[in-house]
């Protein structure tokens, strides 16, 4: 607070959640079937502080980024550890070298420092253009995996306006609807299989294959899919609860199917002949 915030005149920046709330921290939101709902009970983990996690406002971050743009000489942003190689890292679709929380990349042909961060129900984006001494910052009190494409394109389009370029209309994104439809269909299918299994009271044909497939479904939904989406399941439960609960529900139904079929197999094998 004394070494950074006070020296830069950042009066609404905090590393303590209680102080941030007392100063008027905005309420976060998350999307539930494409509708924004308040995200209550926002936790704050001290272990996130070394990665520059903090509560702040646009005025304070503008002062912070302006200080970076105003630096001269052999600053950290020009050091060899933050070089010109374009294949070191990828961040939100942009490629470049990464260091000190920024991605050194190119935007619309201009050399740029790109910053983005997300924490539970908040998200931040910034583009700094050191040669033009301008920057664009966006703070959002929503953080979601599958939002309208316009939300993610808001700050890039503001950057295009600052550079005198036309804005780009984001294309349609069907990934959320497709995944939602697949999960709902899978849940309905598993419920139908469960009812049929309970009525028959028998393992049915190819029982071991069905058990193996249901186990694969559990592993796929609870382990593989979160890693493919580069997100932990507990984080997904917070920022995208509709899809996360559907995934957990289908996995739970698959687990119940494993138990039912295995129990039916045991009854068959242990039945007196």
């Amino acid at each position: 607070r004394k070494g950074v915030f006070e020296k830069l005149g950042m009066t609404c920046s905090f590393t303590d959640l209680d102080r941030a709330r007392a100063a008027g921290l905005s309420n976060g939101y998350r999307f539930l079937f494409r509708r924004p709902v308040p995200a209550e009970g926002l936790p704050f983990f001290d272990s996130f502080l070394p990665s520059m996690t903090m509560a702040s406002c646009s005025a304070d971050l503008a002062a912070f980024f302006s200080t970076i743009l105003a630096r001269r000489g052999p600053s950290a942003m020009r050091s060899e550890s933050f070089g010109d190689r374009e294949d070191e890292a990828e961040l939100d679709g942009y490629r470049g070298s990464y260091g000190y929380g920024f991605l050194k990349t190119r935007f619309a042909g201009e050399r740029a420092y790109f910053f983005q961060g997300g924490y539970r129900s908040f998200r931040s984006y910034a583009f700094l253009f050191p040669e033009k001494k301008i920057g664009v910052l966006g703070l959002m009190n929503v953080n979601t995996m599958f939002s309208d494409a316009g939300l993610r394109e808001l700050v890039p389009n503001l950057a295009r306006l600052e550079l005198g370029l036309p804005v780009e209309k984001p294309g349609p994104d069907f990934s959320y609807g497709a995944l939602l439809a697949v999960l709902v269909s899978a849940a309905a299918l598993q419920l139908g299989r469960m009812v049929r299994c309970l009525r028959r009271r028998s393992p049915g044909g190819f029982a071991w294959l069905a058990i193996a497939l249901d186990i694969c479904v559990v592993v796929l939904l609870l382990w593989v899919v979160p890693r493919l989406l580069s997100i932990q399941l507990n984080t997904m439960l917070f920022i995208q609860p509709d899809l996360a609960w559907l995934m957990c529900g289908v996995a739970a139904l698959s687990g119940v199917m494993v138990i039912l079929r295995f129990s039916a197999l045991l009854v068959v094998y242990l039945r007196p002949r």
Side-chain angles (χ1 to χ4, degrees):
R1 185 166 59 250
K2 291 183 178 180
V4 179
F5 295 160
E6 290 183 5
K7 287 186 177 181
L8 296 179
M10 299 171 65
T11 59
C12 63
S13 297
F14 306 92
T15 58
D16 179 84
L17 186 60
D18 292 332
R19 291 191 181 191
R21 283 173 172 162
L25 178 68
S26 62
N27 189 51
Y29 287 83
R30 51 186 172 179
F31 281 105
L32 187 64
F33 299 107
R34 291 203 181 277
R35 288 186 171 273
V37 295
E40 303 294 343
L42 176 69
F44 190 87
F45 302 111
D46 290 342
S47 58
F48 278 39
L49 290 176
S51 64
M52 215 170 97
T53 297
M54 63 182 181
S56 190
C57 63
S58 57
D60 275 17
L61 290 183
F64 177 72
F65 291 139
S66 295
T67 302
I68 293 175
L69 287 174
R71 294 196 68 172
R72 297 288 191 273
S75 68
M77 301 297 284
R78 299 184 180 91
S79 69
E80 293 181 359
S81 62
F82 192 47
D84 294 320
R85 289 172 297 214
E86 299 296 332
D87 58 350
E88 290 185 354
E90 181 173 348
L91 188 64
D92 219 45
Y94 299 94
R95 294 194 63 83
S97 56
Y98 187 84
Y100 305 98
F102 290 87
L103 185 76
K104 187 178 181 181
T105 185
R106 287 196 173 271
F107 180 88
E110 297 285 343
R111 191 161 65 95
Y113 300 145
F114 173 55
F115 171 88
Q116 71 90 18
Y119 185 81
R120 296 295 174 148
S121 54
F122 295 92
R123 196 154 193 85
S124 60
Y125 284 91
F127 286 95
L128 308 182
F129 301 98
E131 294 171 356
K132 293 185 174 295
K133 300 301 179 185
I134 60 174
V136 177
L137 165 69
L139 300 178
M140 309 171 194
N141 59 344
V142 61
N143 185 18
T144 179
M145 297 169 55
F146 299 97
S147 63
D148 293 332
L151 188 62
R152 291 186 177 274
E153 281 297 316
L154 176 61
V155 176
N157 271 330
L158 289 174
R160 292 184 185 100
L161 288 175
E162 285 294 319
L163 296 173
L165 301 173
V167 298
E168 294 183 2
K169 184 178 180 179
D173 185 2
F174 302 107
S175 55
Y176 171 81
L179 187 53
L180 184 65
V182 168
L183 290 172
V184 171
S185 300
L189 177 63
Q190 291 294 63
L191 283 172
R193 292 177 63 221
M194 185 181 300
V195 171
R196 185 172 59 181
C197 184
L198 290 172
R199 285 178 176 177
R200 287 182 176 180
R201 296 186 180 182
S202 67
F206 304 101
W208 287 111
L209 177 60
I211 289 174
L213 289 175
D214 281 320
I215 292 175
C216 289
V217 169
V218 174
V219 175
L220 177 70
L221 293 177
L222 300 185
W223 192 80
V224 177
V225 171
R227 277 156 180 78
L228 289 175
L229 296 174
S230 301
I231 189 172
Q232 294 182 353
L233 185 60
N234 61 343
T235 303
M236 188 176 177
L237 284 166
F238 191 89
I239 67 174
Q240 197 72 54
D242 45 6
L243 294 180
W245 283 115
L246 277 171
M247 286 172 54
C248 292
V250 174
L253 291 173
S254 300
V256 172
M257 284 300 302
V258 170
I259 296 173
L260 289 176
R261 287 188 181 275
F262 190 74
S263 300
L265 282 173
L266 284 178
V267 171
V268 171
Y269 286 136
L270 298 177
R271 184 181 299 163
R273 300 182 184 276

